[in-house]
Amino acid sequence: MGKYGDKELKVSFSPEAFLFYKNLQKIVEEEKVRGKVSSFSQQLLRAIEREKTNLNLNPEVGIHIPKKLIPKIYIDFYGINNLWKIDLPSFYRMLYTIDTSAKIVINSIVIAIIDHEKYNKIFGYRKK
């Protein structure tokens, strides 16, 4: 856990993001047992681990998404009022919100790790 001003920093995951993360860890573990030393899954997991570390240093490390562009599904489901994104390899995105409601902790909550196609669908972007 890092510090940001006078508050401790914490990174946590929504159930959906945690499931993705744990499944990715399992895939990477199985690949390594089979002797695979380089794969997309390994690259993606390293990037997620790196960004978790970065969030523990600075919760505003990502790109802030304007409030009017936050998908309604995230507002309704998570009750968030801010959303940030971090670009990952192969157009994956890590979406997170910053919860500052606690007096001594700033919690960066990863709500989704999604590919480009799902990102476009959630944000209403269409192919041309």
Side-chain angles (χ1 to χ4, degrees), residues 61-125:
V61 71
I63 299 164
H64 187 252
I65 296 174
K67 198 171 280 219
K68 66 181 180 184
L69 298 179
I70 298 174
K72 187 171 175 2
I73 189 170
Y74 291 144
I75 294 169
D76 292 345
F77 194 75
Y78 295 107
I80 64 171
N81 62 7
N82 67 78
L83 188 64
W84 301 72
K85 77 168 180 163
I86 295 175
D87 294 334
L88 299 171
S90 295
F91 301 104
Y92 270 71
R93 306 286 190 269
M94 186 161 75
L95 301 173
Y96 69 99
T97 188
I98 301 172
D99 178 6
T100 59
S101 62
K103 292 184 186 214
I104 59 170
V105 177
I106 295 174
N107 189 12
S108 298
I109 305 166
V110 177
I111 59 174
I113 302 167
I114 54 178
D115 64 20
H116 190 60
E117 187 176 320
K118 188 169 181 181
Y119 178 84
N120 283 347
K121 184 176 180 182
I122 289 170
F123 279 84
Y125 300 134

Side-chain angles (χ1 to χ4, degrees), residues 17-65:
F18 186 72
L19 183 61
F20 180 92
Y21 179 63
K22 292 312 265 183
N23 285 338
L24 187 60
Q25 286 178 321
K26 184 178 176 189
I27 290 166
V28 167
E29 192 175 304
E30 290 169 356
E31 287 177 348
K32 288 182 177 179
V33 167
R34 292 192 316 264
K36 195 168 197 174
V37 293
S38 181
S39 72
F40 168 71
S41 296
Q42 292 172 26
Q43 181 186 19
L44 184 58
L45 182 60
R46 276 192 307 273
I48 293 168
E49 294 290 349
R50 179 185 65 240
E51 297 306 336
K52 274 180 48 187
T53 299
N54 289 338
L55 285 169
N56 265 318
L57 298 172
N58 178 0
E60 296 180 355
V61 71
I63 299 164
H64 187 252
I65 296 174

